[in-house]
Structure formats: structure tokens, C-alpha cells
Amino acid sequence: SQGGLFRRGVPLLEKLVDTVMRRETVGYDKLGNKYIRWHESKDGERVERRQVDWSGDYSFYEPNKIPSEWRMWLRKQREHPPTEEEMVQSEMKAATLKTKVQQLDEKERLRRLRMQAIGSQDPAAGASPDMSRFLQQLHKEDKGQS
């Protein structure tokens, strides 16, 4: 069918455009987005351009789903694209932080239950989270696990 022929031709067309523009694929993220760079001349100077080719529909783009290392590279806040090892380390750190936050949330929930059980008024009840207290607890957890 013509639709099938078109779909097979799109990767070939993309490859041709990449070749003509001398676009270089520098990596992929876990969502399948492709990161590309190429050089152009602007006012007699060679300028590096960077972009992402979305794996899915761009209209559903959520910036927070792009790893921060790739966002930094796209914005030229870092010279080199992130390595696979760097991405694995970043995911491990995020998972560790998520676990610590869950543990602290559970400690806080239990503390509030104890306060309720003894009939003591919880000064933090209904108030917004105390960020300085949260960071102190997080820091304590780091020291305790070292």
C-alpha cells in the first residue's frame, strides 16, 4: 500500500537530510528521543546547533520527562552529551532520593499519629511543609547510612 511505502521512505528521507546537513546523532534517552547536532555558518563563524527528535507525538511533550543532563546539553549548559554511565548514575541517585523521601514521609506520618494519640496539638498540622526540617532529616539520613 502507499501508506506502507511512505512509512518505509521516511527513515530514508531522514537519513538523507542528516547526511546533507551533516547532522550527527549523539545519543538517545530511555524514552527513545534522539539527540542531534550539526554545524552552520553564521556571520562567518561556525555555530553548533542541537536538537531533539521526539520519539512520540510532540503535542504531548512534557519537558520534565527529558533527563536534565540532555536538557542541559540542548541548552549548551554542558559541552559534551551525557554518557550512558552518567545516565545510569543519575537514575540511581534519583531512585535513592525517592526512597529517602518516602522514608521521611512515613516517619512524619507516624510522628503525627503519635501526636494525635497522646492528644497533643501538632504545631505543624495544617501548615505547609517545613523545608528546613525536611532537609535536616534528609542530611541526618545521609550521615547515618555513610
Side-chain angles (χ1 to χ4, degrees), residues 16-34:
L16 179 63
V17 168
D18 288 349
T19 302
V20 169
M21 291 184 64
R22 295 186 177 160
R23 293 174 9 148
E24 171 192 7
T25 299
V26 295
Y28 293 86
D29 63 24
K30 67 181 179 181
L31 297 173
N33 297 319
K34 179 168 73 168

Side-chain angles (χ1 to χ4, degrees), residues 96-106 134 138:
T96 300
L97 181 61
K98 184 177 180 180
T99 300
K100 287 180 181 181
V101 167
Q102 288 172 339
Q103 290 170 349
L104 289 173
D105 282 346
E106 181 61 13
F134 172 79
L138 188 62

Side-chain angles (χ1 to χ4, degrees), residues 71-88:
R71 281 196 312 267
M72 290 173 63
W73 180 79
L74 287 167
R75 294 177 181 150
K76 297 184 180 181
Q77 294 173 328
R78 59 180 294 156
E79 184 178 349
H80 302 288
T83 64
E84 190 65 37
E85 293 121 13
E86 186 179 2
M87 297 306 299
V88 168

Side-chain angles (χ1 to χ4, degrees), residues 103-132:
Q103 290 170 349
L104 289 173
D105 282 346
E106 181 61 13
K107 274 182 162 179
E108 181 63 15
R109 186 185 72 76
L110 293 173
R111 184 191 70 79
R112 287 183 182 199
L113 281 174
R114 280 193 303 276
M115 296 292 283
Q116 257 183 345
I118 61 172
S120 177
Q121 187 66 14
D122 185 358
S128 60
D130 181 358
M131 187 55 79
S132 62

Side-chain angles (χ1 to χ4, degrees), residues 20-24 37-42 45-50 76:
V20 169
M21 291 184 64
R22 295 186 177 160
R23 293 174 9 148
E24 171 192 7
R37 75 171 153 212
W38 70 96
H39 293 87
E40 295 178 350
S41 289
K42 184 177 181 180
E45 288 187 44
R46 183 178 155 126
V47 178
E48 183 182 68
R49 301 288 184 205
R50 300 174 180 184
K76 297 184 180 181

